[in-house]
Amino acid sequence: MRRQVKQMLSLALAGCMVLGMTACGSKSSTGTAAPESKQDVTTEGSSAGTAAEKPDKTAEEASLVMLIEEPNVNYYPVFLENIRAKYPEYSITSKTWDQSQVEKTVKTAFAGGEAVDIVKWFPNQMETFISSDMALDLTPYMDDEWKSIFTENALDIGTYGGKLFCLPITTVYPDIDVNADIFEEAGVEVKEHWTWDEFVAACEKIKQNTDVFPFAICDTRVGWFQRNAFLQIWDTKEELEAFNRGEISFKDERVVTALDKINDLFAKEYAYPGNGAFSQTKDQTKAAFSQGKIAMLFNVNNGGKTIRTVMEEAGRTNIRTISWPTMAAGECDYVLGGCDGYFISSNTKNPEASINILKYLTNKEAFELQVDDGDVVPANVEGGTDEEFARDSSKVYPKEIMAISAEMNDYINYNIGANYFYDKEGTLEELESLRTSAQ
């Protein structure tokens, strides 16, 4: 379970990647707890594609709980409407997906003998569920027809020990949305790719030459700074792999130097709103961007189209999307990321019904709806997204040190940024303890 933030930290830190965010990441959590009540999942006036397909009359009755629906993501209500049309025999409870609550919700239900049947999570961060035997092995169900929808090697990211546990649905990595008008006011060039030093220099210039904050990052994404650094600071891929296996200390000079550089961003109050920068929700950072209070918003690639719409509605149209700043000096110019995905709880009482729904959620129609909404998908479908939102897909590195234990995963994802800011030495000791205990 998630370790508590040091007592001196009064900020409330909520939970990714992948692609780790890895992964990463996704259309992000809203910071609200997952409700326990059943929702009305019918969407009136939906452009449901092939939702008029005849219901499957052979399906047996089943009661299912789904934890996939994010507020303000257009396609989830359509998915749920289509599923109910196709399988009217199924009684579906839809819970709102909140990244910080997913693990607790699934494990609490499991401990009580109940199942959250279908869960959205990150294929490259499944250790917390696999180590507890809470994820169903999907390998026996993955026939050639189903597999054909996915791009080559796409399923590898959710495969552990030769068994498939989580199906990818988006290719996700972090990037930055930029208000180019503020950059021009500050006298800063908008560059598609930049080094860490160039990024810091831009932040300082924006702070000095304007009355806005250089950037904002929401609470569930603060750890992305450290996760990207941990992928980039090595001279060779062999060193990176050794670090990911837990063979290199967190007190290594390269690690500490990188953590100090990240810490300086917050010490110099480049991050909105200065005091309280570690506890900003997604909605708060998005509002700050739309109100012109920040020059840069740390985002995910599949959220780019949505933020453009938000900014246009606010009368701000000169928006660019650029790459995350890199600390790479050697061959390891990688970014965190991976995929959002779906898995089925191993204690589901309705595995066949769950598989039926999972097949719908990963069929051609569903993937095309995602593409229409701006997602980059690991599927063989027509369409796609702008190069601006896919340019770093090839730089995503699928594995991170977080994979060595569920405790390490939680600490880096949710606690490392603020903990290091308030207690550097204590954080390094905690990271070392987690590393050595996982060996």
Side-chain angles (χ1 to χ4, degrees):
M1 296 300 295
R2 186 170 303 138
R3 295 176 178 265
Q4 292 183 337
V5 181
K6 301 287 187 289
Q7 289 184 352
M8 68 179 67
L9 173 60
S10 62
L11 308 174
L13 296 179
C16 247
M17 231 134 213
V18 145
L19 326 149
M21 122 249 35
T22 192
C24 169
S26 71
K27 311 257 186 184
S28 301
S29 147
T30 61
T32 57
E36 297 299 322
S37 60
K38 183 178 291 189
Q39 296 179 328
D40 180 4
V41 297
T42 301
T43 304
E44 295 184 8
S46 165
S47 55
T50 60
E53 183 179 354
K54 292 182 180 180
D56 183 354
K57 295 298 184 182
T58 64
E60 295 182 359
E61 292 185 3
S63 295
L64 299 162
V65 177
M66 298 176 63
L67 183 56
I68 70 170
E69 187 176 9
E70 288 188 70
N72 304 317
V73 178
N74 296 326
Y75 48 76
Y76 283 118
V78 181
F79 287 174
L80 291 164
E81 181 182 9
N82 292 356
I83 290 167
R84 292 190 69 164
K86 183 175 176 63
Y87 298 108
E89 293 85 356
Y90 297 172
S91 174
I92 297 173
T93 299
S94 176
K95 294 188 174 185
T96 302
W97 191 88
D98 171 9
Q99 180 185 331
S100 67
Q101 298 295 317
V102 171
E103 184 177 343
K104 177 182 178 181
T105 300
V106 173
K107 291 187 174 182
T108 299
F110 205 99
E114 301 295 330
V116 180
D117 300 273
I118 299 170
V119 183
K120 186 173 80 165
W121 195 242
F122 313 111
N124 60 331
Q125 297 183 32
M126 283 295 294
E127 289 84 1
T128 185
F129 297 109
I130 295 172
S131 63
S132 304
D133 295 323
M134 292 184 178
L136 183 69
D137 179 10
L138 302 175
T139 311
Y141 304 95
M142 183 54 63
D143 55 30
D144 290 340
E145 180 181 2
W146 193 5
K147 188 176 182 180
S148 67
I149 189 67
F150 295 97
T151 56
E152 185 177 2
N153 302 320
L155 298 179
D156 291 353
I157 196 168
T159 300
Y160 297 75
K163 295 181 178 181
L164 176 63
F165 289 100
C166 191
L167 303 184
I169 58 165
T170 61
T171 301
V172 185
Y173 60 84
D175 59 17
I176 309 174
D177 293 318
V178 170
N179 186 326
D181 289 334
I182 295 177
F183 266 55
E184 182 177 354
E185 178 186 349
V188 177
E189 178 187 1
V190 179
K191 301 182 66 174
E192 290 186 359
H193 305 280
W194 52 9
T195 66
W196 187 264
D197 289 342
E198 289 172 333
F199 168 68
V200 172
C203 287
E204 181 61 25
K205 205 167 184 180
I206 291 167
K207 184 177 181 180
Q208 293 298 326
N209 296 343
T210 73
D211 59 356
V212 306
F213 283 88
F215 70 86
I217 187 166
C218 72
D219 49 8
T220 60
R221 296 173 178 172
V222 171
W224 292 2
F225 279 118
Q226 291 80 9
R227 290 172 60 189
N228 270 334
F230 293 159
L231 294 173
Q232 297 168 352
I233 59 177
W234 313 104
D235 291 330
T236 66
K237 187 176 178 180
E238 288 72 24
E239 287 181 324
L240 167 59
E241 286 295 318
F243 178 74
N244 284 346
R245 291 191 298 268
E247 297 170 6
I248 297 178
S249 171
F250 280 96
K251 295 184 179 181
D252 183 280
E253 181 180 359
R254 292 164 292 186
V255 176
V256 175
T257 298
L259 293 175
D260 285 344
K261 287 180 177 180
I262 295 165
N263 204 53
D264 281 346
L265 300 177
F266 296 90
K268 294 178 179 179
E269 295 194 341
Y270 293 151
Y272 174 86
N275 184 27
F278 294 111
S279 60
Q280 296 299 295
T281 67
K282 178 191 172 188
D283 287 342
Q284 287 173 318
T285 57
K286 185 170 67 175
F289 195 45
S290 67
Q291 294 164 10
K293 295 180 179 179
I294 58 174
M296 294 176 279
L297 177 68
F298 281 88
N299 201 358
V300 286
N301 63 316
N302 65 0
K305 285 189 175 181
T306 299
I307 202 65
R308 296 291 174 90
T309 300
V310 170
M311 295 299 280
E312 287 176 4
E313 291 173 351
R316 306 180 190 279
T317 58
N318 195 8
I319 307 301
R320 297 267 302 276
T321 298
I322 63 176
S323 297
W324 194 281
T326 181
M327 291 187 181
E331 64 184 49
C332 298
D333 190 14
Y334 300 117
V335 294
L336 70 93
C339 300
D340 288 347
Y342 303 125
F343 74 90
I344 296 174
S345 293
S346 60
N347 69 336
T348 179
K349 298 176 177 64
N350 299 288
E352 296 299 330
S354 297
I355 289 293
N356 286 340
I357 291 177
L358 204 56
K359 284 186 174 182
Y360 169 77
L361 291 170
T362 55
N363 72 8
K364 182 174 182 289
E365 172 193 335
F367 278 127
E368 287 177 344
L369 285 169
Q370 288 184 232
V371 168
D372 290 343
D373 202 48
D375 284 1
V376 179
V377 299
N380 295 308
V381 296
E382 294 183 3
T385 59
D386 296 338
E387 173 63 23
E388 191 172 17
F389 305 127
R391 67 164 66 97
D392 290 334
S393 295
S394 63
K395 294 171 63 175
V396 171
Y397 203 79
K399 299 297 181 182
E400 302 180 51
I401 191 171
M402 300 189 308
I404 66 175
S405 72
E407 291 79 11
M408 182 70 81
N409 177 82
D410 288 347
Y411 193 85
I412 292 177
N413 255 331
Y414 308 121
N415 297 340
I416 189 171
N419 281 12
Y420 195 88
F421 184 85
Y422 287 100
D423 185 4
K424 172 180 175 176
E425 296 304 322
T427 300
L428 292 173
E429 289 296 333
E430 185 74 3
L431 288 166
E432 275 298 278
S433 176
L434 291 171
R435 180 183 71 86
T436 56
S437 65
Q439 300 302 304

